[in-house]
Amino acid sequence: MKLCLVIYEKKLDALLRNIDLNMLTEVRLDFSNFKDQEIAIIFRHSKNLIATFRENNRTTNEQRIQSLKVAIQNGAAYVDIDLDTPKKDKEELLELAKKHHCKTIISHHNYIETPDIKELSKICKQIQSYSPDIMKIITKTDSVNDLKNLMALYAFFDDIIALGIGNLGGISRVIALAYNAPFIFTFSKTKYKLANGQISQKILEKLGRIFKGV
């Protein structure tokens, strides 16, 4: 079982204090306005960090790409690249990651619904065309049918993280844990819970022990 903590802070010193050096940790750069020099400090601080910068209305695409480049160049273990990123930027980030031995995640988020399995598979094949180390699919899961469609991806694709948000998001994460997803995103402090359906580190660790029969 591999868990990934998610953290974000607006101030550099607070962020550095909350990085667990012993755990894989996703740093959400989209919650801050860190300068390049500060991003370099963050990703030199630990070799277990995922660089993520989600699209928002406060930053330009150029700013997001530049921040991810700096993270890669300064030791990010993974970079999370959104599938909707312009192709030229996506390919540039993938090439830079390869050069710096940084693993890649290409992700797709649908905050409105869970498409049917045919559409989800189409999205996964599109992601596969870029040969990332891991593909990540996040969808809104409010019904059992949503959950079935999303979890079916584990039967058809390797190296995939498929997780739900919404009413059945929590169940999707338990199933992903049982299906041995590359890692499950979690939080150690309630303030870092970003989506309905996320489960705390403490509970996931307990579930992991149950699945192992410990």
Side-chain angles (χ1 to χ4, degrees):
M1 175 184 67
K2 195 168 187 180
L3 301 182
C4 177
L5 295 176
V6 179
I7 64 170
Y8 60 90
E9 294 286 350
K10 291 184 177 181
K11 293 185 177 180
L12 179 61
D13 58 347
L15 181 64
L16 295 177
R17 281 198 309 269
N18 283 284
I19 290 175
D20 186 332
L21 297 177
N22 297 312
M23 283 195 69
L24 184 64
T25 302
E26 179 185 49
V27 177
R28 289 291 300 269
L29 294 170
D30 45 299
F31 282 85
S32 63
N33 292 303
F34 291 133
K35 297 180 174 61
D36 287 356
Q37 300 93 320
E38 294 173 307
I39 295 173
I41 291 171
I42 293 166
F43 287 90
R44 290 173 185 167
H45 183 72
S46 169
K47 296 302 181 184
N48 294 315
L49 301 182
I50 299 175
T52 300
F53 201 132
R54 293 276 167 255
E55 183 177 356
N56 58 69
N57 56 15
R58 295 181 294 100
T59 56
T60 65
N61 180 65
E62 289 72 21
Q63 288 174 301
R64 294 191 291 276
I65 300 305
Q66 174 61 17
S67 293
L68 292 176
K69 285 181 178 178
V70 174
I72 291 168
Q73 292 166 334
N74 285 277
Y78 290 87
V79 59
D80 187 324
I81 306 168
D82 198 287
L83 180 61
D84 291 335
T85 300
K87 183 177 181 181
K88 178 178 178 295
D89 293 325
K90 209 161 35 229
E91 291 177 344
E92 193 172 346
L93 286 171
L94 288 167
E95 184 62 30
L96 187 66
K98 183 178 180 180
K99 178 181 178 181
H100 288 271
H101 308 289
C102 171
K103 293 184 178 180
T104 54
I105 301 167
I106 292 186
S107 58
H108 171 76
H109 297 72
N110 187 328
Y111 300 111
I112 299 173
E113 63 180 359
T114 297
D116 61 29
I117 187 61
K118 183 177 179 181
E119 180 62 24
L120 286 172
S121 295
K122 182 179 177 181
I123 293 168
C124 287
K125 289 175 183 176
Q126 186 179 353
I127 292 176
Q128 280 186 324
S129 70
Y130 291 98
S131 301
D133 292 286
I134 294 173
M135 66 176 79
K136 183 170 76 169
I137 304 291
I138 307 293
T139 66
K140 183 76 176 297
T141 49
D142 285 335
S143 70
V144 171
N145 193 55
D146 290 340
L147 189 64
K148 286 180 178 178
N149 282 325
L150 183 61
M151 295 298 98
L153 292 176
Y154 286 106
F156 299 108
F157 297 95
D158 296 323
D159 300 317
I160 185 170
I161 299 171
L163 300 172
I165 57 175
N167 294 336
L168 298 182
I171 296 176
S172 78
R173 291 160 199 267
V174 175
I175 294 172
L177 186 66
Y179 283 171
N180 200 28
F183 41 82
I184 310 295
F185 295 92
T186 186
F187 59 92
S188 58
K189 297 181 180 179
T190 304
K191 70 173 182 174
Y192 293 134
K193 183 177 181 180
L194 293 179
N196 181 20
Q198 281 189 324
I199 300 175
S200 72
Q201 176 187 358
K202 184 177 180 180
I203 292 175
L204 284 176
E205 287 177 341
K206 184 175 182 179
L207 287 170
R209 290 193 293 270
I210 291 172
F211 290 151
K212 290 180 180 180
V214 177

